[in-house]
Amino acid sequence: MQNKEDYRALEARYYMPAFSRDLMLVRGEGSRVWDADGKEYIDCVAGIAVCSTGHCHPAVTRAICEQAKRLIHCSNLYYVPGQAELAQKLVEKTGMAKAFFSNSGAEATDGALKLARVRTGRKKFVAFTHGFHGRTIGSLAVTHKPAIREPFEPLGIPATFVEYGDLDGLKRAVDADTAGVVVEPIQGEAGVIIPPDSFLEGIREICDRSGALMIVDEVQTGMGRTGKWLAIQHTRVKPDIVMLAKGIASGFPMGALLAREGLEFRKGEHGSTFAGGPLACAAGLATFKVIEEVLPSVPEKAERFRTALSSYSPRVRGLMVGMTVGDRCAEVQKRCAERGVLVNCAADGNLRLVPPLVISPAEIDRACAVIRDALS
Ligand code: PLP
């Protein structure tokens, strides 16, 4: 392994500079990671809500290695080992009817937009301010942040944005050509913004009245992150389409689209070379089992974060924690890293913690002590 400075120079020479980064992580185990200098961190970023089973969970690593020895890829021209089993598990836990896999969250969003268009025959979408749904041309059309969307316009998908929480605005924005309303049940990239249940229930009603589909983006909130398989399961709302990714396969690239009864792609309408391949499904099945085991512990861990950070008015739903820190956010992130805790600044000066679901009470206490120190 080269040292970080050499690596930085190599990257500057050969890799497109789309990211700003400083640390170089080389190893992980559970909720801990180590950088190239051997420094240890408690990881409250977890690859941005991806490594929910912790880093290199032995059951996940074993499943990937064993599958890699049997069959790495075979194409969706054939039945894929593990694909139907994982679909069954996701459908049963979420109350949806059918699944379709993708390679990422953005691709899951693209699939959702396609499914909504092809089954409703309508063209337009409504999404919300500060919402994030991905960076492909399709998913970007419903992603709000002008700085990342506008340079790539026109995107070819007519979408309008309504203030997150504004049901009257949504009523005005939805019309007879609206195929779907795309919403995060908790906004993640915006900094863990938790709406009242009445907002999500109101969207359901507006969709029911207009015939638009309710498309719930659970890419960040799904797979147990909030203490239930889906964040929408904290409410009484039944969505038409759900997107998953991030935590679904412990870091092996994978996403999924779930749809209610009666909504599905028909032959030839959608596809992908890699999506739902044998390795991803093996990682997904192993991940599913670990999450099933750890899920009951999430509410207690959430309370531990809430109590330990109570002076800073945290927004907590399961192991998704946001705190408004303001301009100091980057400095707080840096100070935490210096003291061995990784946290991340989401939008608008909001500190975001999305640690592995397997984080231990002792690790929570240690991380919160460092965060309090950095904030004080
Ligand atoms: N949707 C939400 C809510 C997300 O948080 C993200 C990524 O942060 C995406 C979609 C896009 O997922 P991906 O980066 O896997 O394309």
Side-chain angles (χ1 to χ4, degrees):
M1 174 65 64
Q2 289 151 307
N3 70 38
K4 196 170 83 182
E5 290 320 311
D6 290 348
Y7 200 83
R8 198 197 301 277
L10 193 70
E11 180 186 280
R13 172 75 182 83
Y14 291 108
Y15 203 70
M16 296 187 193
F19 302 103
S20 57
R21 45 195 174 194
D22 183 35
L23 288 181
M24 183 173 182
L25 303 177
V26 295
R27 190 164 74 83
E29 190 182 323
S31 299
R32 312 281 173 121
V33 284
W34 287 264
D35 71 14
D37 300 322
K39 182 174 158 88
E40 180 181 313
Y41 303 84
I42 296 176
D43 187 4
C44 290
V45 177
I48 316 187
V50 168
C51 312
S52 293
T53 60
H55 293 276
C56 307
H57 191 288
V60 177
T61 304
R62 196 177 322 116
I64 293 171
C65 292
E66 282 172 6
Q67 183 59 46
K69 287 183 216 155
R70 280 194 298 271
L71 184 68
I72 291 178
H73 180 73
C74 62
S75 164
N76 281 306
L77 289 172
Y78 309 102
Y79 290 113
V80 180
Q83 198 177 78
E85 289 99 316
L86 185 57
Q88 178 190 17
K89 287 187 185 305
L90 294 174
V91 156
E92 284 176 357
K93 290 292 183 193
T94 59
M96 304 299 283
K98 291 239 165 103
F100 197 88
F101 293 112
S102 65
N103 301 290
S104 68
E107 256 187 67
T109 303
D110 283 356
L113 302 183
K114 282 181 69 177
L115 184 59
R117 272 189 163 179
V118 76
R119 292 288 79 88
T120 63
R122 301 173 177 198
K123 299 288 173 240
K124 300 192 304 193
F125 292 89
V126 180
F128 294 95
T129 53
H130 308 289
F132 186 90
H133 304 289
R135 288 176 181 259
T136 56
I137 290 284
S139 60
L140 199 52
V142 289
T143 287
H144 176 245
K145 195 174 178 181
I148 64 170
R149 176 172 39 80
E150 285 176 355
F152 303 98
E153 289 181 338
L155 298 168
I157 295 190
T160 45
F161 295 95
V162 170
E163 194 68 35
Y164 193 62
D166 178 6
L167 289 171
D168 288 334
L170 183 63
K171 261 183 228 152
R172 287 193 298 274
V174 169
D175 65 25
D177 197 29
T178 304
V181 176
V182 186
V183 64
E184 288 167 86
I186 296 170
Q187 288 190 324
E189 295 306 293
V192 188
I193 310 301
I194 307 174
D197 288 0
S198 57
F199 174 53
L200 298 162
E201 288 161 6
I203 296 175
R204 181 66 275 176
E205 275 173 38
I206 292 167
C207 286
D208 285 344
R209 255 183 271 131
S210 65
L213 301 181
M214 183 171 180
I215 301 171
V216 174
D217 184 343
E218 298 257 9
V219 165
Q220 192 159 150
T221 51
M223 297 306 294
R225 172 59 46 197
T226 68
K228 292 190 186 276
W229 285 95
L230 300 178
I232 199 78
Q233 290 174 318
H234 292 277
T235 75
R236 289 171 301 159
V237 172
K238 300 261 177 274
D240 296 300
I241 300 176
V242 168
M243 290 90 87
L244 294 169
K246 289 194 181 281
I248 194 171
S250 297
F252 198 97
M254 187 177 216
L257 187 62
L258 307 175
R260 64 147 164 83
E261 200 62 57
L263 274 181
E264 58 188 19
F265 284 120
R266 296 175 191 155
K267 279 204 188 352
E269 285 181 340
H270 199 38
S272 160
T273 295
F274 294 118
L279 275 182
C281 290
L285 282 165
T287 298
F288 188 94
K289 211 156 159 248
V290 176
I291 294 178
E292 222 171 10
E293 284 160 17
V294 77
L295 201 53
S297 74
V298 171
E300 207 178 305
K301 291 175 182 175
E303 278 319 298
R304 212 169 178 97
F305 271 107
R306 192 195 298 281
T307 307
L309 299 171
S310 60
S311 325
Y312 301 96
S313 310
R315 300 179 293 278
V316 181
R317 182 62 60 83
L319 288 178
M320 209 170 169
V321 180
M323 282 180 293
T324 303
V325 167
D327 293 344
R328 305 187 294 146
C329 203
E331 179 57 26
V332 170
Q333 179 182 311
K334 189 161 166 267
R335 286 171 69 178
C336 287
E338 280 163 8
R339 289 163 213 199
V341 175
L342 297 183
V343 296
N344 152 259
C345 288
D348 303 325
N350 285 305
L351 201 66
R352 171 177 49 182
L353 315 177
V354 278
L357 305 185
V358 297
I359 192 168
S360 70
E363 286 166 334
I364 295 173
D365 294 348
R366 168 91 191 111
C368 289
V370 167
I371 294 163
R372 281 196 309 265
D373 223 38
L375 282 165
S376 67

